Amino acid sequence: MDGTEGNAGQPGPADRSHRSSVSSVGAREVQLKPKHQPYKLGRQWPELLLRFTDAPDDDVAVDEPSLQFRRNVFFPKRRELQIHDEAVLRLLYAEAKGNLLAARYPCDVEDCEALGALVCRVQLGPYQPGQPTACALREKLDSFLPAHLCKRGHGLFAALRGRGAKAGPMEQGLLDAYRRLQDTGDSEASLSPHYRAYLLKCHELPFYGCAFFHGEIDKPAQGFLHRSGRKPVSVAISLEGVHVIDSREKHVLLGLRFQELSWDHTSPEEEESVLWLEFDGDNEGTPVNKLLKVYSKQAELMSSLIEYCIELNQTSEPTAPPESASGPAAAPDPSPLPARRPQLRRQGSVVCSRIQHLATIDYVEEGEQIKRVKPKRTTSFFSRQLSLGPGSYTVVQPSDSLEQG
């Protein structure tokens, strides 16, 4: 069960970098609370699969859970950088690398190469001229780069390439990034700096450290007959927001901070289990309210996790210092705090939202009725939302020129 049942209620302390989780081969995970007993949860595993997944009964009957050590979803990234224990850094590095190689973390090619170079340094030691060659890296390329970037041909053609074949762009790009790494040259030195560098690079990815859930969304209608269907997605939820990721194309479809969305869910008793995400958008230049339906048996878990993350953020926010009662406010500190590291925002980056690829419902409230229109929005369907000042999800007032669709 991708995601966490443990996140659906009130989790335990959020000050530990790792927690136990129960997982099965089908990438279905449950993050455990401190009070959970793995043995009892293992006994309930078939019931959990039937309730929160679409797995066939035959698969449920033979599925065997395994106990794993995973990063705590509620552990802040800023505190991760304060860790100095090499064993803990190695665990965090191994999990981040596994998520990247499995393409759970969509990542642009140049960043995959930079991260792959750090893996080369950890596994192969400092770069030595001529060793390894780009062609040698080809044999174990999927140990350094995500599988979908390492696809090679099979059969006779692939066999004829041989060792002497010219290196492909991925092998050469990885080797160049490995060569550029700055190193002391001491192969016996601690690997902590390289683990830390890998994690720091992963922190630029907006979905690092997320809990992942499976779901489906509607495809936009295409063709003369307006044929549509559904596409599989991963929903990644962290302390910062929600990302909807195309499971096949390995890129982000929608990324929202909590202050940019409103949400709710419908239970199977009412209709099909759905997580609703509502956010600001536009239709042909006109402000619009958009609704995205995420079909998933885990909608209840996702909704509960969003709610808890918002509560956790609000309780951990520092209070503003009181103003001085004896005169004007003090002058600002001449040495400003370091700027926050920018997230990856290249043109066409896989981490940028692709709202044009979504089939959303646009609507507006007019009078006492809510109508689907070509749009302007005056209110939200949902009361569950977070407002944090500028940049928040806001009400758009209607205009007389509203065009019905």
Side-chain angles (χ1 to χ4, degrees):
M1 180 168 50
D2 229 359
T4 65
E5 189 193 31
N7 292 337
Q10 294 297 321
D15 57 351
R16 288 173 291 180
S17 62
H18 279 78
R19 281 190 178 172
S20 297
S21 71
V22 178
S23 177
S24 71
V25 244
R28 300 169 177 91
E29 302 164 6
V30 178
Q31 180 170 294
L32 305 186
K33 301 178 186 178
K35 68 179 184 181
H36 276 142
Q37 299 179 29
Y39 173 75
K40 288 186 177 180
L41 202 62
R43 293 283 299 272
Q44 299 170 352
W45 190 248
E47 299 172 22
L48 294 172
L49 293 179
L50 289 171
R51 180 180 176 188
F52 294 114
T53 77
D54 296 310
D57 291 347
D58 291 345
D59 290 351
V60 170
V62 299
D63 196 77
E64 288 289 338
S66 63
L67 189 63
Q68 302 178 356
F69 209 40
R70 293 290 183 89
R71 185 187 187 279
N72 188 343
V73 174
F74 304 111
F75 193 72
K77 288 189 287 189
R78 66 178 183 278
R79 295 193 58 194
E80 192 174 279
L81 298 177
Q82 300 169 6
I83 296 174
H84 299 286
D85 187 312
E86 183 167 327
V88 177
L89 289 172
R90 183 174 65 251
L91 287 171
L92 291 167
Y93 156 80
E95 182 175 345
K97 182 185 73 170
N99 283 330
L100 189 82
L101 295 182
R104 262 184 155 183
Y105 294 164
C107 191
D108 294 320
V109 171
E110 49 266 58
D111 296 302
C112 287
E113 291 173 350
L115 289 164
L118 287 165
V119 178
C120 288
R121 172 59 184 88
V122 169
Q123 295 185 4
L124 306 177
Y127 174 77
Q128 301 293 336
Q131 295 292 332
T133 64
C135 292
L137 286 177
R138 180 190 305 145
E139 300 304 317
K140 44 186 175 180
L141 197 61
D142 55 3
S143 298
F144 308 116
L145 298 174
H148 66 283
L149 296 181
C150 305
K151 290 181 179 177
R152 298 189 293 268
H154 298 283
L156 180 63
F157 177 75
L160 290 176
R161 291 183 65 183
R163 275 191 182 179
K166 184 179 178 181
M170 296 309 303
E171 295 98 320
Q172 191 60 51
L174 177 62
L175 184 63
D176 292 343
Y178 183 23
R179 185 186 299 117
R180 289 193 298 267
L181 277 182
Q182 298 295 322
D183 203 283
T184 61
D186 183 3
S187 59
E188 301 300 322
S190 168
L191 292 174
S192 290
H194 308 295
Y195 295 148
R196 192 181 301 277
Y198 193 96
L199 294 173
L200 191 61
K201 186 70 175 174
C202 285
H203 285 192
E204 297 178 4
L205 301 172
F207 27 75
Y208 171 76
C210 284
F212 288 89
F213 302 82
H214 290 301
E216 292 181 321
I217 62 172
D218 292 316
K219 293 180 180 178
Q222 295 179 341
F224 177 74
L225 298 177
H226 297 285
R227 291 177 178 173
S228 60
R230 293 182 183 178
K231 69 167 65 177
V233 295
S234 294
V235 181
I237 302 174
S238 71
L239 289 173
E240 299 174 359
V242 180
H243 285 78
V244 180
I245 299 170
D246 191 313
S247 300
R248 291 174 180 163
E249 299 299 327
K250 314 300 182 188
H251 60 220
V252 172
L253 294 169
L254 179 67
L256 296 169
R257 296 174 297 165
F258 289 129
Q259 59 265 40
E260 296 173 327
L261 65 86
S262 185
W263 88 100
D264 211 332
H265 77 281
T266 52
S267 63
E269 291 77 18
E270 303 171 27
E271 54 177 285
E272 189 172 3
S273 185
V274 171
L275 176 73
W276 296 85
L277 296 176
E278 183 184 47
F279 56 97
D280 289 334
D282 68 81
N283 187 307
E284 299 178 354
T286 304
V288 56
N289 186 29
K290 289 182 176 288
L291 281 174
L292 178 67
K293 296 175 67 174
V294 182
Y295 304 91
S296 174
K297 281 192 172 183
Q298 301 168 10
E300 180 183 356
L301 301 182
M302 290 188 271
S303 179
S304 297
L305 179 55
I306 292 172
E307 185 168 14
Y308 183 76
C309 285
I310 289 176
E311 291 175 359
L312 196 63
N313 284 330
Q314 290 176 330
T315 57
S316 62
E317 285 176 1
T319 55
E323 294 184 3
S324 172
S326 59
D333 188 343
S335 56
L337 292 174
R340 184 179 179 184
R341 291 186 308 278
Q343 293 182 344
L344 306 178
R345 285 294 181 269
R346 301 185 184 91
Q347 185 176 5
S349 169
V350 296
V351 304
C352 292
S353 294
R354 289 163 170 76
I355 297 177
Q356 70 275 16
H357 293 177
L358 298 175
T360 58
I361 300 171
D362 299 342
Y363 77 90
V364 66
E365 179 181 347
E366 185 177 19
E368 297 181 355
Q369 296 182 339
I370 293 179
K371 298 180 179 180
R372 292 180 61 173
V373 296
K374 290 183 181 177
K376 282 191 179 179
R377 174 177 56 77
T378 59
T379 189
S380 167
F381 271 133
F382 312 129
S383 59
R384 306 173 78 173
Q385 54 186 271
L386 172 67
S387 293
L388 293 178
S392 297
Y393 181 74
T394 56
V395 169
V396 176
Q397 298 301 324
S399 68
D400 297 334
S401 60
L402 185 66
E403 179 185 358
Q404 299 290 334

